[in-house]
Amino acid sequence: YTLDPTPNHYERIVRQFGSYLPNLKIIRAGIGLEMGEGNTNNLVISKHNNDTFPIVNIDHLFYEKNESLGLAHIDVDGVEFDTLKGGFKTIQKDQPVITVELRVHENPKLTKDMLDYITNVLKYDVYVVDEPCGWPHMDYRNLLLIPRKTASAKLEYSDAFNLAFVTNALFRVDSETIFELVYPCCRLGGECCKFNSTKDKRCCGEQFMQRWHKRNGRKAEAIQGFTYSKQYIRGQWRKMGQRSKVD
């Protein structure tokens, strides 16, 4: 499945993937805790006004239809916690691998509550993919959620996981350590967020984060910042394209 509530995004997904991925079920809908209805007036990214769409949950898509879930990526603009809770039965039954986007320092209580739920209720381990995955705040991270019961079987022989793990591109966190391991300067009032709100666009901005790196003697890696990371990756792809033209 792929879900998106905005008409323009939905239509683009259909155009790009609908014809050559016949097994992909493309649904124009939102996702969250309970079944219901949403309105595009509440979506910042939507260009369509006063347009309604259905809201579903993971259990409706899988558990109630007796379908299995193996992998899920959840990036739903702040309702990730509700989405996880709306898939409790499915997650307990299928033990899927899950990735979730989170802005770590925006709402510390939400971050703590969600990680406590994942580790204590769902019985999953939480790993941070250590690269900024959003703009303009550099504390956006993707979390990799691995079911504790099957972690060894799923990942013990994964070269990609092991390489990421030993190079600290991936590391395990809980509801306390995540605030110290993901740019602690980005907490409200910290070196990188000396503003009235974590929602201020300057809070945890790339320039503040880079200065923090230098002051603390941190190595500037390709994944350090969002802009630099994107430029670095595009540069590597250009080089690959040039090499492909050489006989």
mmCIF file of all heavy atoms in Angstrom, residues 136-159:
data_model
loop_
_atom_site.group_PDB
_atom_site.id
_atom_site.type_symbol
_atom_site.label_atom_id
_atom_site.label_comp_id
_atom_site.label_asym_id
_atom_site.label_seq_id
_atom_site.Cartn_x
_atom_site.Cartn_y
_atom_site.Cartn_z
ATOM 1 N N PRO A 136 13.473 22.750 7.765
ATOM 2 C CA PRO A 136 14.806 23.311 7.969
ATOM 3 C C PRO A 136 15.476 22.858 9.271
ATOM 4 O O PRO A 136 16.563 23.326 9.596
ATOM 5 C CB PRO A 136 14.527 24.815 8.010
ATOM 6 C CG PRO A 136 13.177 24.897 8.673
ATOM 7 C CD PRO A 136 12.408 23.696 8.178
ATOM 8 N N HIS A 137 14.829 21.994 10.031
ATOM 9 C CA HIS A 137 15.347 21.583 11.334
ATOM 10 C C HIS A 137 16.195 20.314 11.185
ATOM 11 O O HIS A 137 15.745 19.322 10.615
ATOM 12 C CB HIS A 137 14.192 21.323 12.304
ATOM 13 C CG HIS A 137 13.181 22.427 12.336
ATOM 14 N ND1 HIS A 137 13.416 23.636 12.952
ATOM 15 C CD2 HIS A 137 11.930 22.510 11.807
ATOM 16 C CE1 HIS A 137 12.353 24.419 12.812
ATOM 17 N NE2 HIS A 137 11.443 23.757 12.120
ATOM 18 N N MET A 138 17.414 20.367 11.726
ATOM 19 C CA MET A 138 18.351 19.272 11.532
ATOM 20 C C MET A 138 18.164 18.119 12.512
ATOM 21 O O MET A 138 18.900 17.137 12.474
ATOM 22 C CB MET A 138 19.794 19.789 11.639
ATOM 23 C CG MET A 138 20.184 20.763 10.537
ATOM 24 S SD MET A 138 20.114 20.039 8.880
ATOM 25 C CE MET A 138 18.571 20.742 8.259
ATOM 26 N N ASP A 139 17.155 18.205 13.401
ATOM 27 C CA ASP A 139 16.915 17.092 14.320
ATOM 28 C C ASP A 139 15.811 16.158 13.810
ATOM 29 O O ASP A 139 15.324 15.314 14.553
ATOM 30 C CB ASP A 139 16.595 17.584 15.732
ATOM 31 C CG ASP A 139 15.385 18.504 15.803
ATOM 32 O OD1 ASP A 139 15.097 19.193 14.803
ATOM 33 O OD2 ASP A 139 14.732 18.543 16.862
ATOM 34 N N TYR A 140 15.416 16.299 12.548
ATOM 35 C CA TYR A 140 14.556 15.288 11.940
ATOM 36 C C TYR A 140 15.363 14.007 11.754
ATOM 37 O O TYR A 140 16.472 14.035 11.213
ATOM 38 C CB TYR A 140 14.050 15.750 10.575
ATOM 39 C CG TYR A 140 12.850 16.653 10.602
ATOM 40 C CD1 TYR A 140 12.962 17.993 10.254
ATOM 41 C CD2 TYR A 140 11.595 16.156 10.936
ATOM 42 C CE1 TYR A 140 11.855 18.834 10.250
ATOM 43 C CE2 TYR A 140 10.483 16.992 10.937
ATOM 44 C CZ TYR A 140 10.627 18.327 10.597
ATOM 45 O OH TYR A 140 9.523 19.142 10.603
ATOM 46 N N ARG A 141 14.798 12.893 12.185
ATOM 47 C CA ARG A 141 15.470 11.603 12.022
ATOM 48 C C ARG A 141 14.462 10.527 11.636
ATOM 49 O O ARG A 141 13.291 10.576 12.026
ATOM 50 C CB ARG A 141 16.160 11.162 13.329
ATOM 51 C CG ARG A 141 17.389 11.960 13.712
ATOM 52 C CD ARG A 141 18.531 11.769 12.715
ATOM 53 N NE ARG A 141 19.739 12.444 13.152
ATOM 54 C CZ ARG A 141 19.995 13.740 12.967
ATOM 55 N NH1 ARG A 141 19.093 14.500 12.358
ATOM 56 N NH2 ARG A 141 21.135 14.273 13.377
ATOM 57 N N ASN A 142 14.946 9.549 10.900
ATOM 58 C CA ASN A 142 14.186 8.323 10.703
ATOM 59 C C ASN A 142 14.592 7.331 11.784
ATOM 60 O O ASN A 142 15.791 7.150 12.061
ATOM 61 C CB ASN A 142 14.454 7.729 9.318
ATOM 62 C CG ASN A 142 13.645 8.401 8.234
ATOM 63 O OD1 ASN A 142 12.440 8.595 8.388
ATOM 64 N ND2 ASN A 142 14.284 8.767 7.135
ATOM 65 N N LEU A 143 13.604 6.707 12.393
ATOM 66 C CA LEU A 143 13.834 5.674 13.388
ATOM 67 C C LEU A 143 13.574 4.319 12.752
ATOM 68 O O LEU A 143 12.582 4.130 12.043
ATOM 69 C CB LEU A 143 12.909 5.855 14.592
ATOM 70 C CG LEU A 143 12.892 7.222 15.271
ATOM 71 C CD1 LEU A 143 11.930 7.191 16.462
ATOM 72 C CD2 LEU A 143 14.289 7.633 15.718
ATOM 73 N N LEU A 144 14.464 3.380 12.995
ATOM 74 C CA LEU A 144 14.283 2.004 12.547
ATOM 75 C C LEU A 144 13.808 1.190 13.736
ATOM 76 O O LEU A 144 14.500 1.106 14.759
ATOM 77 C CB LEU A 144 15.599 1.446 12.007
ATOM 78 C CG LEU A 144 15.616 -0.039 11.611
ATOM 79 C CD1 LEU A 144 14.659 -0.304 10.457
ATOM 80 C CD2 LEU A 144 17.033 -0.477 11.249
ATOM 81 N N LEU A 145 12.618 0.608 13.624
ATOM 82 C CA LEU A 145 12.016 -0.152 14.719
ATOM 83 C C LEU A 145 12.093 -1.635 14.393
ATOM 84 O O LEU A 145 11.570 -2.094 13.380
ATOM 85 C CB LEU A 145 10.551 0.271 14.924
ATOM 86 C CG LEU A 145 10.257 1.776 14.931
ATOM 87 C CD1 LEU A 145 8.774 2.011 15.211
ATOM 88 C CD2 LEU A 145 11.132 2.508 15.928
ATOM 89 N N ILE A 146 12.751 -2.381 15.284
ATOM 90 C CA ILE A 146 12.980 -3.806 15.067
ATOM 91 C C ILE A 146 12.317 -4.605 16.190
ATOM 92 O O ILE A 146 12.578 -4.347 17.377
ATOM 93 C CB ILE A 146 14.487 -4.139 15.044
ATOM 94 C CG1 ILE A 146 15.203 -3.294 13.992
ATOM 95 C CG2 ILE A 146 14.702 -5.624 14.781
ATOM 96 C CD1 ILE A 146 14.788 -3.575 12.584
ATOM 97 N N PRO A 147 11.456 -5.568 15.870
ATOM 98 C CA PRO A 147 10.825 -6.384 16.923
ATOM 99 C C PRO A 147 11.869 -7.163 17.704
ATOM 100 O O PRO A 147 12.719 -7.828 17.121
ATOM 101 C CB PRO A 147 9.883 -7.311 16.149
ATOM 102 C CG PRO A 147 10.419 -7.320 14.747
ATOM 103 C CD PRO A 147 11.041 -5.981 14.523
ATOM 104 N N ARG A 148 11.809 -7.032 19.022
ATOM 105 C CA ARG A 148 12.828 -7.641 19.870
ATOM 106 C C ARG A 148 12.867 -9.167 19.727
ATOM 107 O O ARG A 148 13.927 -9.775 19.775
ATOM 108 C CB ARG A 148 12.565 -7.244 21.327
ATOM 109 C CG ARG A 148 13.807 -7.082 22.166
ATOM 110 C CD ARG A 148 13.477 -6.409 23.484
ATOM 111 N NE ARG A 148 13.064 -5.029 23.298
ATOM 112 C CZ ARG A 148 12.121 -4.415 24.004
ATOM 113 N NH1 ARG A 148 11.462 -5.068 24.935
ATOM 114 N NH2 ARG A 148 11.820 -3.165 23.774
ATOM 115 N N LYS A 149 11.698 -9.783 19.526
ATOM 116 C CA LYS A 149 11.620 -11.238 19.429
ATOM 117 C C LYS A 149 12.430 -11.789 18.267
ATOM 118 O O LYS A 149 13.052 -12.850 18.365
ATOM 119 C CB LYS A 149 10.161 -11.681 19.251
ATOM 120 C CG LYS A 149 9.332 -11.682 20.511
ATOM 121 C CD LYS A 149 7.940 -12.216 20.186
ATOM 122 C CE LYS A 149 7.041 -12.207 21.412
ATOM 123 N NZ LYS A 149 5.677 -12.685 21.061
ATOM 124 N N THR A 150 12.402 -11.067 17.153
ATOM 125 C CA THR A 150 12.997 -11.598 15.930
ATOM 126 C C THR A 150 14.180 -10.777 15.431
ATOM 127 O O THR A 150 14.619 -10.944 14.290
ATOM 128 C CB THR A 150 11.939 -11.666 14.824
ATOM 129 O OG1 THR A 150 11.373 -10.350 14.628
ATOM 130 C CG2 THR A 150 10.815 -12.625 15.197
ATOM 131 N N ALA A 151 14.708 -9.895 16.273
ATOM 132 C CA ALA A 151 15.784 -9.002 15.836
ATOM 133 C C ALA A 151 16.985 -9.773 15.308
ATOM 134 O O ALA A 151 17.544 -9.455 14.257
ATOM 135 C CB ALA A 151 16.203 -8.095 16.989
ATOM 136 N N SER A 152 17.404 -10.795 16.030
ATOM 137 C CA SER A 152 18.589 -11.548 15.625
ATOM 138 C C SER A 152 18.363 -12.248 14.292
ATOM 139 O O SER A 152 19.202 -12.191 13.390
ATOM 140 C CB SER A 152 18.947 -12.574 16.702
ATOM 141 O OG SER A 152 20.079 -13.325 16.312
ATOM 142 N N ALA A 153 17.218 -12.864 14.144
ATOM 143 C CA ALA A 153 16.924 -13.599 12.909
ATOM 144 C C ALA A 153 16.821 -12.666 11.715
ATOM 145 O O ALA A 153 17.224 -13.008 10.603
ATOM 146 C CB ALA A 153 15.634 -14.385 13.068
ATOM 147 N N LYS A 154 16.277 -11.465 11.932
ATOM 148 C CA LYS A 154 16.070 -10.536 10.831
ATOM 149 C C LYS A 154 17.361 -9.839 10.414
ATOM 150 O O LYS A 154 17.535 -9.507 9.241
ATOM 151 C CB LYS A 154 15.027 -9.477 11.216
ATOM 152 C CG LYS A 154 13.594 -9.987 11.301
ATOM 153 C CD LYS A 154 12.654 -8.855 11.666
ATOM 154 C CE LYS A 154 11.218 -9.343 11.860
ATOM 155 N NZ LYS A 154 10.598 -9.800 10.621
ATOM 156 N N LEU A 155 18.259 -9.577 11.361
ATOM 157 C CA LEU A 155 19.367 -8.675 11.067
ATOM 158 C C LEU A 155 20.766 -9.244 11.282
ATOM 159 O O LEU A 155 21.741 -8.619 10.875
ATOM 160 C CB LEU A 155 19.221 -7.397 11.906
ATOM 161 C CG LEU A 155 17.977 -6.567 11.601
ATOM 162 C CD1 LEU A 155 17.831 -5.446 12.612
ATOM 163 C CD2 LEU A 155 18.051 -5.993 10.199
ATOM 164 N N GLU A 156 20.874 -10.386 11.902
ATOM 165 C CA GLU A 156 22.206 -10.906 12.238
ATOM 166 C C GLU A 156 23.089 -11.043 11.010
ATOM 167 O O GLU A 156 24.294 -10.786 11.059
ATOM 168 C CB GLU A 156 22.074 -12.262 12.928
ATOM 169 C CG GLU A 156 23.416 -12.828 13.372
ATOM 170 C CD GLU A 156 23.254 -14.140 14.119
ATOM 171 O OE1 GLU A 156 22.101 -14.587 14.321
ATOM 172 O OE2 GLU A 156 24.283 -14.719 14.501
ATOM 173 N N TYR A 157 22.505 -11.433 9.884
ATOM 174 C CA TYR A 157 23.299 -11.656 8.681
ATOM 175 C C TYR A 157 23.106 -10.555 7.643
ATOM 176 O O TYR A 157 23.388 -10.756 6.463
ATOM 177 C CB TYR A 157 22.956 -13.020 8.074
ATOM 178 C CG TYR A 157 23.245 -14.157 9.019
ATOM 179 C CD1 TYR A 157 22.220 -14.830 9.675
ATOM 180 C CD2 TYR A 157 24.565 -14.530 9.298
ATOM 181 C CE1 TYR A 157 22.492 -15.859 10.563
ATOM 182 C CE2 TYR A 157 24.848 -15.556 10.180
ATOM 183 C CZ TYR A 157 23.803 -16.217 10.811
ATOM 184 O OH TYR A 157 24.080 -17.228 11.699
ATOM 185 N N SER A 158 22.636 -9.389 8.083
ATOM 186 C CA SER A 158 22.472 -8.263 7.176
ATOM 187 C C SER A 158 23.758 -7.447 7.138
ATOM 188 O O SER A 158 24.112 -6.783 8.120
ATOM 189 C CB SER A 158 21.305 -7.368 7.632
ATOM 190 O OG SER A 158 21.314 -6.143 6.929
ATOM 191 N N ASP A 159 24.465 -7.488 6.013
ATOM 192 C CA ASP A 159 25.711 -6.725 5.895
ATOM 193 C C ASP A 159 25.442 -5.224 5.978
ATOM 194 O O ASP A 159 26.230 -4.473 6.561
ATOM 195 C CB ASP A 159 26.399 -7.058 4.565
ATOM 196 C CG ASP A 159 26.949 -8.480 4.531
ATOM 197 O OD1 ASP A 159 27.216 -9.028 5.613
ATOM 198 O OD2 ASP A 159 27.102 -9.025 3.430
#
